[in-house]
Amino acid sequence: MDYYIIRDNRRQGPFSMEQLKEAGLTRDTKVWHEGMAGWADAADVPELAELALPPSPPPLNEAGRGANEAERPPMPKTWLAESIIVTLLCCIVFGIIAIIYSTQVESNYLMGKYELAEYKSRQARNMVLWGIGTGIGLCVIYIAFLVFTAMLSAL
C-alpha cells in the first residue's frame, strides 16, 4: 500500500512502508492512503503507529530561533575584550577577575539565568573600571615620582 505524507506544507509520495521508515516519519506527520476519508496523524493509523517517531520539535521562527528564545531579554555585554585589554595594559589582578566574570555572562544567559548573567556583566564592568582606574592612578604616581626625582637631581 502506498502512502502520501505532508512535509513542509507540501504533499510528498507515494511511499512504501519501507520508504516511510527511512523518511523519518513522526507521530504528528499527516498521512493518507487510498481508501482513507482524509489526512490523519501517523499515530492514528494503526499500521504506522509503531513506525512513527516522537513529534518533531516546534518550527523555528523567521529569526532562526525557537519560540522560547524569542522571549529572552537581550544578552548583556560580556566585557571580554575590555577585560583582556585591562589585563595586558593596566592591572593584571582586576583584568583576570574581569575575564572570569565576563566568560560567565554568555553561559549563564544561554542557561536561562538572565539575572545572574546581568550580575556577572556588571561585575565584569566594575572590574574593568577598577583596573583602568588603578592603571591610571599608578601612571600618575609614576610620573609624579619621575618629576620629583628630576627636581631633586636638579638641586
Side-chain angles (χ1 to χ4, degrees), residues 32-67:
W32 178 85
H33 65 79
E34 193 172 323
M36 288 179 64
W39 293 89
D41 290 337
D44 296 334
V45 179
E47 59 267 17
L48 298 178
E50 65 227 21
L51 292 178
L53 301 171
S56 58
L60 295 175
N61 62 17
E62 58 277 348
R65 292 185 253 161

Side-chain angles (χ1 to χ4, degrees), residues 90 131-141:
C90 298
I132 291 171
T134 302
I136 291 172
L138 289 175
C139 286
V140 168
I141 291 171

Side-chain angles (χ1 to χ4, degrees), residues 53-134:
L53 301 171
S56 58
L60 295 175
N61 62 17
E62 58 277 348
R65 292 185 253 161
N68 291 344
E69 292 180 25
E71 298 170 4
R72 286 185 179 181
M75 186 171 83
K77 183 173 178 162
T78 62
W79 296 91
L80 184 59
E82 294 87 347
S83 302
I84 293 170
I85 292 170
V86 165
T87 303
L88 295 175
L89 299 179
C90 298
C91 181
I92 292 174
V93 174
F94 287 116
I96 290 174
I97 295 170
I99 289 173
I100 292 169
Y101 279 123
S102 64
T103 56
Q104 296 172 353
V105 172
E106 186 174 4
S107 60
N108 282 309
Y109 177 78
L110 293 175
M111 288 189 295
K113 301 176 181 176
Y114 308 124
E115 293 84 19
L116 188 57
E118 290 176 9
Y119 170 77
K120 299 291 185 178
S121 176
R122 283 192 307 272
Q123 291 300 105
R125 183 201 62 196
N126 291 343
M127 292 300 114
V128 165
L129 294 176
W130 275 98
I132 291 171
T134 302

